Amino acid sequence: MAVAVQDAPAEDGRRSRPGLLARVKLSYSKYWYAYAMVAPVVIVLGVLVGYPLVQGLYLTLTDSNSLNSARTIGVKHIPATYEFIGLHNYADVLWGPGSYDRFWSHFVWTIAWTVICVTVTYATGLALAMLMNQHLRGRGLYRLMLILPWAVPTFVTVFSWRLMLADGGVVNGLLGSVGLPEPSWLSDPFAQKAAAIGVNTWVGVPFMMVSLLGGLQSIPGELYEAAEMDGATPWQRFRHITLPGLRTVSSTVVLLGVIWTFNQFTVIFLLFGNGAPDAQILVTWAYRLGFGQQPRDYAQSATYGVLLLSILIVFTSFYRRWLARNEESSR
């Protein structure tokens, strides 16, 4: 009887649990101030991000282009005549006629571009961060000089590199002066990819260096002193102290680097424009479909955008799970 009496309130409590609407009202009555503070951000994100995303998803299900979309010519308004075609755009992009030239070749290059750029940028940034973490004379001046590429607007940096990489530019002039070949950086397909990787590395290294330098300065110096007293070599100190100490910072900057590089529109577009089809990554190819040709294929361009978003969501999910497993195994 005592057990039944004790269990009864719990059962009654479960039966009388308020519904979803009641819980929302209760939460609003308790945290109305927090909701009021968050509301402007939610509204702005909904207008600037949510609406275009929903509109883009809808366009992927149509055959919309610049010829059948609603438009106004003078005082005459022409209504839209595009039709709903379901998932045809996704099927056409992924395995339709010429899908390799239109999607998969750019997908492979985008993956290679992202892996190479993030790897080179991280390695270079880590090496410079470790150098700047040493007690060097004029260290502040060196840091300032290395941060300058990050402080200069990206379009200025890319246009400067475009002038230097042109035929007869500074880069080929230096190569010719030492007897090395002078590639056509802006016209040869292989040289275009090498140039894009080099410029993107120049733009991205300062961020990596500053972030990793902050992580290095948070590692206690006593660990290095104790390891040196125990006879650890520089490689052992780097492997067992520096890398584990930078795990949190490294995981964050690598994730950001992958996302930024995968969607790096500025460097590719300003360096080559609508030319250099072999050097175009997915995001610049999507722009070319939607705005760099006639007629403009809005549906195909939006389809590329949704596929890009899906790829990044899948990668981020697996990356976070991989990091969580590594953290659990290291404990």
Short mmCIF file of all heavy atoms in Angstrom, two decimals, residues 152-166 169-171 186 199 202 270-271:
data_model
loop_
_atom_site.label_atom_id
_atom_site.label_comp_id
_atom_site.label_asym_id
_atom_site.label_seq_id
_atom_site.Cartn_x
_atom_site.Cartn_y
_atom_site.Cartn_z
N VAL A 152 45.04 43.76 -45.15
CA VAL A 152 44.72 44.35 -46.46
C VAL A 152 43.45 43.70 -47.01
O VAL A 152 43.28 42.48 -46.91
CB VAL A 152 45.89 44.14 -47.44
CG1 VAL A 152 45.54 44.66 -48.83
CG2 VAL A 152 47.14 44.83 -46.91
N PRO A 153 42.51 44.48 -47.56
CA PRO A 153 41.30 43.88 -48.15
C PRO A 153 41.64 42.80 -49.18
O PRO A 153 42.60 42.95 -49.95
CB PRO A 153 40.59 45.07 -48.79
CG PRO A 153 41.07 46.25 -48.02
CD PRO A 153 42.48 45.94 -47.61
N THR A 154 40.85 41.75 -49.20
CA THR A 154 41.15 40.60 -50.05
C THR A 154 41.20 40.97 -51.52
O THR A 154 42.06 40.50 -52.27
CB THR A 154 40.12 39.48 -49.82
OG1 THR A 154 40.07 39.16 -48.43
CG2 THR A 154 40.50 38.24 -50.60
N PHE A 155 40.28 41.84 -51.96
CA PHE A 155 40.26 42.16 -53.40
C PHE A 155 41.53 42.92 -53.80
O PHE A 155 42.02 42.75 -54.92
CB PHE A 155 39.01 42.97 -53.74
CG PHE A 155 39.02 44.41 -53.31
CD1 PHE A 155 39.46 45.39 -54.17
CD2 PHE A 155 38.59 44.77 -52.04
CE1 PHE A 155 39.47 46.72 -53.78
CE2 PHE A 155 38.60 46.09 -51.64
CZ PHE A 155 39.04 47.07 -52.51
N VAL A 156 42.09 43.73 -52.88
CA VAL A 156 43.34 44.42 -53.19
C VAL A 156 44.48 43.40 -53.32
O VAL A 156 45.30 43.47 -54.24
CB VAL A 156 43.65 45.46 -52.10
CG1 VAL A 156 45.01 46.11 -52.36
CG2 VAL A 156 42.57 46.53 -52.05
N THR A 157 44.51 42.45 -52.39
CA THR A 157 45.56 41.42 -52.43
C THR A 157 45.48 40.60 -53.71
O THR A 157 46.49 40.35 -54.38
CB THR A 157 45.43 40.50 -51.21
OG1 THR A 157 45.54 41.27 -50.01
CG2 THR A 157 46.51 39.43 -51.22
N VAL A 158 44.27 40.16 -54.08
CA VAL A 158 44.12 39.31 -55.26
C VAL A 158 44.46 40.07 -56.54
O VAL A 158 45.14 39.54 -57.43
CB VAL A 158 42.69 38.73 -55.32
CG1 VAL A 158 42.52 37.90 -56.59
CG2 VAL A 158 42.40 37.88 -54.10
N PHE A 159 44.01 41.33 -56.64
CA PHE A 159 44.35 42.11 -57.84
C PHE A 159 45.86 42.36 -57.93
O PHE A 159 46.43 42.37 -59.03
CB PHE A 159 43.60 43.44 -57.83
CG PHE A 159 42.17 43.34 -58.28
CD1 PHE A 159 41.17 44.06 -57.66
CD2 PHE A 159 41.82 42.50 -59.33
CE1 PHE A 159 39.85 43.95 -58.08
CE2 PHE A 159 40.52 42.38 -59.75
CZ PHE A 159 39.52 43.11 -59.13
N SER A 160 46.51 42.56 -56.78
CA SER A 160 47.95 42.74 -56.79
C SER A 160 48.65 41.48 -57.28
O SER A 160 49.59 41.55 -58.11
CB SER A 160 48.44 43.10 -55.38
OG SER A 160 47.85 44.30 -54.93
N TRP A 161 48.20 40.32 -56.81
CA TRP A 161 48.79 39.07 -57.27
C TRP A 161 48.50 38.83 -58.74
O TRP A 161 49.32 38.27 -59.47
CB TRP A 161 48.27 37.90 -56.43
CG TRP A 161 49.06 37.67 -55.18
CD1 TRP A 161 48.71 37.99 -53.91
CD2 TRP A 161 50.35 37.07 -55.10
NE1 TRP A 161 49.69 37.63 -53.03
CE2 TRP A 161 50.72 37.06 -53.74
CE3 TRP A 161 51.24 36.54 -56.04
CZ2 TRP A 161 51.93 36.55 -53.29
CZ3 TRP A 161 52.44 36.03 -55.61
CH2 TRP A 161 52.79 36.04 -54.25
N ARG A 162 47.33 39.25 -59.20
CA ARG A 162 47.01 39.07 -60.61
C ARG A 162 47.98 39.87 -61.50
O ARG A 162 48.42 39.39 -62.55
CB ARG A 162 45.57 39.51 -60.88
CG ARG A 162 45.14 39.32 -62.32
CD ARG A 162 43.65 39.48 -62.49
NE ARG A 162 43.26 39.28 -63.87
CZ ARG A 162 42.00 39.15 -64.29
NH1 ARG A 162 41.02 39.18 -63.41
NH2 ARG A 162 41.72 38.98 -65.56
N LEU A 163 48.32 41.07 -61.07
CA LEU A 163 49.29 41.86 -61.82
C LEU A 163 50.67 41.22 -61.76
O LEU A 163 51.39 41.19 -62.77
CB LEU A 163 49.34 43.28 -61.25
CG LEU A 163 48.10 44.16 -61.48
CD1 LEU A 163 48.26 45.49 -60.75
CD2 LEU A 163 47.87 44.38 -62.97
N MET A 164 51.05 40.69 -60.60
CA MET A 164 52.38 40.09 -60.47
C MET A 164 52.49 38.77 -61.22
O MET A 164 53.58 38.38 -61.66
CB MET A 164 52.72 39.89 -58.99
CG MET A 164 52.94 41.19 -58.23
SD MET A 164 53.58 40.93 -56.55
CE MET A 164 52.15 40.17 -55.77
N LEU A 165 51.37 38.05 -61.37
CA LEU A 165 51.40 36.75 -62.04
C LEU A 165 51.17 36.85 -63.54
O LEU A 165 51.27 35.83 -64.25
CB LEU A 165 50.32 35.83 -61.44
CG LEU A 165 50.55 35.37 -60.00
CD1 LEU A 165 49.31 34.67 -59.46
CD2 LEU A 165 51.76 34.44 -59.91
N ALA A 166 50.87 38.03 -64.04
CA ALA A 166 50.63 38.20 -65.48
C ALA A 166 51.93 37.95 -66.25
O ALA A 166 53.03 38.00 -65.70
CB ALA A 166 50.10 39.60 -65.76
N GLY A 169 55.11 39.84 -65.64
CA GLY A 169 54.97 40.39 -64.30
C GLY A 169 56.20 40.14 -63.44
O GLY A 169 57.20 39.57 -63.88
N VAL A 170 56.07 40.53 -62.17
CA VAL A 170 57.20 40.42 -61.25
C VAL A 170 57.59 38.96 -61.03
O VAL A 170 58.78 38.62 -61.00
CB VAL A 170 56.85 41.10 -59.91
CG1 VAL A 170 57.97 40.90 -58.89
CG2 VAL A 170 56.58 42.58 -60.13
N VAL A 171 56.61 38.08 -60.88
CA VAL A 171 56.91 36.67 -60.56
C VAL A 171 57.70 36.03 -61.69
O VAL A 171 58.76 35.42 -61.47
CB VAL A 171 55.61 35.90 -60.30
CG1 VAL A 171 55.90 34.42 -60.09
CG2 VAL A 171 54.90 36.47 -59.07
N LEU A 186 48.02 32.68 -65.64
CA LEU A 186 46.61 33.05 -65.81
C LEU A 186 45.95 32.40 -67.01
O LEU A 186 44.79 32.69 -67.31
CB LEU A 186 46.49 34.58 -65.92
CG LEU A 186 47.05 35.38 -64.74
CD1 LEU A 186 46.86 36.87 -64.96
CD2 LEU A 186 46.41 34.94 -63.42
N VAL A 199 47.88 32.02 -53.92
CA VAL A 199 47.25 33.25 -53.48
C VAL A 199 46.36 33.00 -52.26
O VAL A 199 46.36 33.78 -51.30
CB VAL A 199 46.44 33.88 -54.63
CG1 VAL A 199 45.66 35.09 -54.15
CG2 VAL A 199 47.36 34.27 -55.77
N TRP A 202 48.51 32.67 -49.22
CA TRP A 202 48.98 33.98 -48.79
C TRP A 202 47.89 34.71 -47.99
O TRP A 202 48.19 35.36 -46.97
CB TRP A 202 49.37 34.81 -50.02
CG TRP A 202 49.74 36.23 -49.73
CD1 TRP A 202 48.91 37.30 -49.68
CD2 TRP A 202 51.05 36.72 -49.43
NE1 TRP A 202 49.60 38.45 -49.39
CE2 TRP A 202 50.93 38.11 -49.22
CE3 TRP A 202 52.30 36.13 -49.32
CZ2 TRP A 202 52.02 38.92 -48.92
CZ3 TRP A 202 53.39 36.93 -49.02
CH2 TRP A 202 53.25 38.30 -48.81
N LEU A 270 38.14 36.75 -58.59
CA LEU A 270 38.93 37.95 -58.88
C LEU A 270 40.21 37.62 -59.63
O LEU A 270 40.74 38.46 -60.36
CB LEU A 270 39.25 38.69 -57.58
CG LEU A 270 38.06 39.28 -56.83
CD1 LEU A 270 38.54 40.01 -55.59
CD2 LEU A 270 37.25 40.22 -57.72
N LEU A 271 40.71 36.40 -59.45
CA LEU A 271 41.96 36.03 -60.12
C LEU A 271 41.72 35.66 -61.59
O LEU A 271 42.54 35.98 -62.45
CB LEU A 271 42.60 34.87 -59.38
CG LEU A 271 44.10 34.64 -59.58
CD1 LEU A 271 44.90 35.88 -59.19
CD2 LEU A 271 44.57 33.44 -58.76
#
